[in-house]
Amino acid sequence: MKETQNRTLTLAKHLICAALAFGIAVPSAFAQTATQIPPAADQKNTAADPWWKHGVIYEIYPRSFQDTDGDGIGDIKGITSHLDYIKQLGIDAIWITPMYPSPQIDFGYDIADYEAIDPQYGTMADFEHMTAEAKGRNIRVIMDYVPNHTSDQSAWFKESRSSRDNPKRDWYIWRDPKGFTADGKPIPPNNWQSWFGHSAWEWDATTKQFYYHHFYVQQPDLNWRNPEVVKAMMDVLRFWMNKGVNGFRIDAVSRLFEDPNLHDDPIQPGLNAFGDPNIQHKYTDNLPEVHDMLREMRKVVDEYPGNPVLISEADEPNIFELAKMYGANNDEVQLPMDFQVADVNELNAPKFRQLLDEVEDNPAHGQPYFFFGNHDQDRIWDRYSIGVSDPAMKARIARMMAALLLTSRATPQMYYGDEIGMVTTTPTRIEDVRDPEGITGWPKQKGRDGERTPCSGMTRRTQASAPPSQPGFPSPPTTRPSTSPSSRPTTSPCSTGTSASSSSAAPTLPSTKAACRCSTQTKTSSPTCAKVPPANPPSS
């Protein structure tokens, strides 16, 4: 009898979550059942049942989240000021994209100093205060860890490029030219291409060698075959763990190693958006040595209490490659980002079913990790409603995607503004593009500015006052599907109240009286489903 009751309650909770995500009215008796379930982060956190198996993770792009000093740039104090709102959404951890000192060529992913805070975002004291305030609300902080490359303005790289015999020369990938053209121009060592277009090799006229950069020219790759680099980067993890963070999202981790023999990558038919020949990144992506380093990273974070988590960004081509990220003994990454599910990009039920079944039965038996949007992808509502013009239908699609994300047992990741239906604001003129990817690839590739538009205090007023060197993105509209006035949530810090393109009377997305999350720890166990009351964040 008890087992039958548990199965019934499990089903009821799933239905409640789905109903709330779709904005369907739920009988008060059932809603009361949901409110009795505590938020996931408040549940027991043990080695056998860690918090990240049943938590909800919320990505914050700090540059656009909340500006508290009117300079047109979001800051750490802006995040701190809205922790109550984040808590009321039912969020268990915030992943914050890079806030380290950076020339901002790639908006923080070109790091000049791994153990400091960029002054445009605040101070280390601001960060420590934010972390303490988050901890007081049982919200964990996850940092963005960028191990593949540094900025060319890093002290490490400045030393490395100063001379061939500098002690840090071998901290990066330096190679001689293959030869020279008839007019004396150096020829790159091989045909490897940058992810953002053209050759991945940049000539250094001072030391007469090329350095390798998988991404922008200003992002030279670290040499992870050098033990000194490994030690320095493990110390970076310890530095931030000692500051109280609870884990890391590891950027571009599959690109840590390259073929030391410099074999050419295979050429494929056609040209890419940058006008280069299509290639298979066979010798610069997903080499076996990556897993050795993931195990080292895991050892470091496991030195600390509280079940810290590692999340990997690696666009694996299939479930078998994805499963390898967990480690042969579940000793690498706990939550590999599932890009196969994230990038379906069409309302295709059989395809979703296939992918969800695959990750549910993944060979490593690891915890799935789902997301549909982040700072590198068009907003969810746009990608899954291409060709749909009816606002009511777009709203229904938005709610359906929210239900899909929040009612599986996978750990879900949301992107700031998803909860109010922020949409992509793609530049229409090249002169408005800030992202170098868009500048290089225009018009076929328009960059990632559209999904990084301002939230809260980043209004047109502050944008107008932003210095020319800073990226002032236009304020975006939101989908804001219609709901009954009595069920509208209070204002989100991601509202775009002063934007000319948004209506002050329009209600917000998607679940009206509550935010809901469901997850199960195993395929057979009961889920946890927390109904969170409408948020009441401080005014911007």
Short mmCIF file of all heavy atoms in Angstrom, two decimals, residues 422-449:
data_model
loop_
_atom_site.label_atom_id
_atom_site.label_comp_id
_atom_site.label_asym_id
_atom_site.label_seq_id
_atom_site.Cartn_x
_atom_site.Cartn_y
_atom_site.Cartn_z
N MET A 422 12.59 36.48 -21.95
CA MET A 422 13.44 37.35 -22.76
C MET A 422 13.72 36.71 -24.11
O MET A 422 13.86 35.49 -24.21
CB MET A 422 14.75 37.65 -22.03
CG MET A 422 14.62 38.67 -20.92
SD MET A 422 16.19 39.03 -20.08
CE MET A 422 17.14 39.77 -21.41
N VAL A 423 13.78 37.52 -25.15
CA VAL A 423 14.00 37.01 -26.50
C VAL A 423 15.32 37.55 -27.05
O VAL A 423 15.92 38.47 -26.50
CB VAL A 423 12.84 37.40 -27.44
CG1 VAL A 423 11.54 36.78 -26.96
CG2 VAL A 423 12.70 38.92 -27.55
N THR A 424 15.77 36.97 -28.13
CA THR A 424 17.02 37.36 -28.77
C THR A 424 16.84 38.69 -29.50
O THR A 424 15.85 38.90 -30.19
CB THR A 424 17.46 36.29 -29.78
OG1 THR A 424 17.35 35.00 -29.17
CG2 THR A 424 18.88 36.53 -30.24
N THR A 425 17.80 39.58 -29.32
CA THR A 425 17.78 40.86 -30.03
C THR A 425 19.02 40.92 -30.92
O THR A 425 20.05 41.49 -30.56
CB THR A 425 17.77 42.04 -29.04
OG1 THR A 425 16.72 41.84 -28.09
CG2 THR A 425 17.52 43.36 -29.76
N THR A 426 18.92 40.31 -32.08
CA THR A 426 20.06 40.20 -32.98
C THR A 426 20.33 41.54 -33.67
O THR A 426 19.40 42.19 -34.15
CB THR A 426 19.79 39.13 -34.05
OG1 THR A 426 19.48 37.90 -33.40
CG2 THR A 426 20.99 38.94 -34.96
N PRO A 427 21.59 41.98 -33.72
CA PRO A 427 21.90 43.23 -34.43
C PRO A 427 21.47 43.15 -35.89
O PRO A 427 21.56 42.09 -36.53
CB PRO A 427 23.42 43.34 -34.31
CG PRO A 427 23.78 42.50 -33.13
CD PRO A 427 22.79 41.39 -33.11
N THR A 428 20.99 44.27 -36.40
CA THR A 428 20.57 44.32 -37.80
C THR A 428 21.59 45.05 -38.68
O THR A 428 21.48 45.04 -39.89
CB THR A 428 19.21 45.02 -37.93
OG1 THR A 428 19.30 46.33 -37.35
CG2 THR A 428 18.13 44.23 -37.19
N ARG A 429 22.58 45.68 -38.04
CA ARG A 429 23.63 46.38 -38.78
C ARG A 429 24.98 45.97 -38.23
O ARG A 429 25.13 45.81 -37.02
CB ARG A 429 23.47 47.90 -38.65
CG ARG A 429 22.11 48.46 -39.00
CD ARG A 429 22.09 49.96 -38.82
NE ARG A 429 22.54 50.36 -37.49
CZ ARG A 429 22.89 51.61 -37.15
NH1 ARG A 429 22.87 52.57 -38.06
NH2 ARG A 429 23.28 51.88 -35.91
N ILE A 430 25.95 45.83 -39.09
CA ILE A 430 27.27 45.39 -38.63
C ILE A 430 27.88 46.41 -37.67
O ILE A 430 28.62 46.05 -36.74
CB ILE A 430 28.22 45.12 -39.82
CG1 ILE A 430 29.50 44.44 -39.31
CG2 ILE A 430 28.52 46.41 -40.58
CD1 ILE A 430 30.41 43.92 -40.40
N GLU A 431 27.55 47.69 -37.83
CA GLU A 431 28.13 48.69 -36.94
C GLU A 431 27.61 48.57 -35.51
O GLU A 431 28.17 49.17 -34.58
CB GLU A 431 27.89 50.11 -37.47
CG GLU A 431 26.44 50.42 -37.79
CD GLU A 431 26.13 50.23 -39.27
OE1 GLU A 431 26.64 49.25 -39.85
OE2 GLU A 431 25.39 51.06 -39.82
N ASP A 432 26.53 47.80 -35.31
CA ASP A 432 26.01 47.59 -33.97
C ASP A 432 26.57 46.34 -33.30
O ASP A 432 26.30 46.08 -32.12
CB ASP A 432 24.48 47.46 -34.01
CG ASP A 432 23.81 48.75 -34.47
OD1 ASP A 432 24.35 49.84 -34.19
OD2 ASP A 432 22.75 48.67 -35.12
N VAL A 433 27.35 45.55 -34.03
CA VAL A 433 27.86 44.29 -33.50
C VAL A 433 29.03 44.55 -32.57
O VAL A 433 29.95 45.29 -32.90
CB VAL A 433 28.29 43.35 -34.65
CG1 VAL A 433 28.87 42.06 -34.08
CG2 VAL A 433 27.11 43.04 -35.55
N ARG A 434 29.00 43.93 -31.39
CA ARG A 434 30.11 44.02 -30.43
C ARG A 434 30.94 42.73 -30.42
O ARG A 434 32.12 42.76 -30.15
CB ARG A 434 29.57 44.26 -29.02
CG ARG A 434 28.59 45.41 -28.90
CD ARG A 434 29.29 46.74 -28.90
NE ARG A 434 28.44 47.79 -28.38
CZ ARG A 434 28.15 48.91 -29.02
NH1 ARG A 434 28.64 49.11 -30.23
NH2 ARG A 434 27.40 49.82 -28.47
N ASP A 435 30.29 41.62 -30.66
CA ASP A 435 30.95 40.32 -30.57
C ASP A 435 31.88 40.13 -31.77
O ASP A 435 31.44 40.17 -32.92
CB ASP A 435 29.89 39.22 -30.54
CG ASP A 435 30.47 37.83 -30.37
OD1 ASP A 435 31.69 37.72 -30.16
OD2 ASP A 435 29.70 36.85 -30.46
N PRO A 436 33.18 39.89 -31.54
CA PRO A 436 34.10 39.69 -32.67
C PRO A 436 33.69 38.55 -33.59
O PRO A 436 34.00 38.58 -34.78
CB PRO A 436 35.44 39.38 -31.98
CG PRO A 436 35.34 40.07 -30.66
CD PRO A 436 33.90 39.94 -30.25
N GLU A 437 33.01 37.54 -33.05
CA GLU A 437 32.53 36.45 -33.90
C GLU A 437 31.58 36.99 -34.97
O GLU A 437 31.62 36.58 -36.13
CB GLU A 437 31.81 35.40 -33.06
CG GLU A 437 31.25 34.24 -33.88
CD GLU A 437 30.52 33.22 -33.03
OE1 GLU A 437 30.73 33.20 -31.80
OE2 GLU A 437 29.74 32.43 -33.59
N GLY A 438 30.71 37.94 -34.58
CA GLY A 438 29.80 38.54 -35.53
C GLY A 438 30.48 39.49 -36.49
O GLY A 438 30.12 39.58 -37.67
N ILE A 439 31.49 40.19 -36.00
CA ILE A 439 32.22 41.11 -36.86
C ILE A 439 32.96 40.34 -37.95
O ILE A 439 32.97 40.73 -39.13
CB ILE A 439 33.21 41.95 -36.01
CG1 ILE A 439 32.43 42.86 -35.06
CG2 ILE A 439 34.13 42.76 -36.91
CD1 ILE A 439 33.29 43.59 -34.06
N THR A 440 33.57 39.22 -37.56
CA THR A 440 34.31 38.41 -38.53
C THR A 440 33.37 37.70 -39.50
O THR A 440 33.67 37.61 -40.70
CB THR A 440 35.16 37.35 -37.80
OG1 THR A 440 36.04 38.01 -36.88
CG2 THR A 440 35.98 36.52 -38.78
N GLY A 441 32.25 37.18 -39.00
CA GLY A 441 31.38 36.34 -39.81
C GLY A 441 30.21 37.04 -40.47
O GLY A 441 29.43 36.39 -41.17
N TRP A 442 30.01 38.35 -40.25
CA TRP A 442 28.87 39.06 -40.81
C TRP A 442 28.84 38.94 -42.34
O TRP A 442 29.88 38.99 -42.97
CB TRP A 442 28.96 40.54 -40.40
CG TRP A 442 27.76 41.35 -40.77
CD1 TRP A 442 27.51 41.97 -41.97
CD2 TRP A 442 26.63 41.60 -39.95
NE1 TRP A 442 26.30 42.61 -41.95
CE2 TRP A 442 25.73 42.39 -40.72
CE3 TRP A 442 26.26 41.24 -38.67
CZ2 TRP A 442 24.50 42.82 -40.22
CZ3 TRP A 442 25.05 41.67 -38.17
CH2 TRP A 442 24.18 42.46 -38.94
N PRO A 443 27.65 38.74 -42.93
CA PRO A 443 26.32 38.66 -42.32
C PRO A 443 25.85 37.24 -42.03
O PRO A 443 24.82 37.05 -41.42
CB PRO A 443 25.43 39.29 -43.38
CG PRO A 443 26.07 38.86 -44.67
CD PRO A 443 27.55 38.87 -44.41
N LYS A 444 26.63 36.21 -42.46
CA LYS A 444 26.18 34.84 -42.21
C LYS A 444 26.19 34.51 -40.73
O LYS A 444 25.31 33.82 -40.22
CB LYS A 444 27.06 33.85 -42.98
CG LYS A 444 26.88 33.90 -44.49
CD LYS A 444 27.73 32.83 -45.18
CE LYS A 444 27.53 32.83 -46.68
NZ LYS A 444 28.36 31.79 -47.35
N GLN A 445 27.20 34.99 -40.03
CA GLN A 445 27.30 34.78 -38.60
C GLN A 445 27.24 36.14 -37.93
O GLN A 445 28.14 36.97 -38.08
CB GLN A 445 28.63 34.07 -38.27
CG GLN A 445 28.95 33.94 -36.80
CD GLN A 445 27.87 33.25 -36.01
OE1 GLN A 445 27.01 33.91 -35.41
NE2 GLN A 445 27.90 31.93 -36.01
N LYS A 446 26.15 36.40 -37.20
CA LYS A 446 25.92 37.73 -36.62
C LYS A 446 26.34 37.85 -35.17
O LYS A 446 26.10 38.87 -34.53
CB LYS A 446 24.45 38.11 -36.79
CG LYS A 446 24.04 38.23 -38.26
CD LYS A 446 22.61 38.70 -38.43
CE LYS A 446 22.26 38.83 -39.92
NZ LYS A 446 20.87 39.30 -40.13
N GLY A 447 26.97 36.80 -34.64
CA GLY A 447 27.50 36.89 -33.30
C GLY A 447 26.49 36.55 -32.22
O GLY A 447 25.37 36.11 -32.49
N ARG A 448 26.90 36.80 -30.97
CA ARG A 448 26.13 36.37 -29.81
C ARG A 448 25.60 37.52 -28.97
O ARG A 448 25.14 37.32 -27.84
CB ARG A 448 27.02 35.46 -28.95
CG ARG A 448 27.51 34.22 -29.69
CD ARG A 448 28.74 33.61 -29.01
NE ARG A 448 29.88 34.52 -29.10
CZ ARG A 448 31.06 34.27 -28.54
NH1 ARG A 448 31.26 33.15 -27.86
NH2 ARG A 448 32.06 35.13 -28.66
N ASP A 449 25.63 38.73 -29.53
CA ASP A 449 25.13 39.88 -28.78
C ASP A 449 23.65 39.74 -28.42
O ASP A 449 23.22 40.19 -27.36
CB ASP A 449 25.31 41.17 -29.59
CG ASP A 449 26.77 41.51 -29.85
OD1 ASP A 449 27.64 40.97 -29.13
OD2 ASP A 449 27.04 42.29 -30.78
#
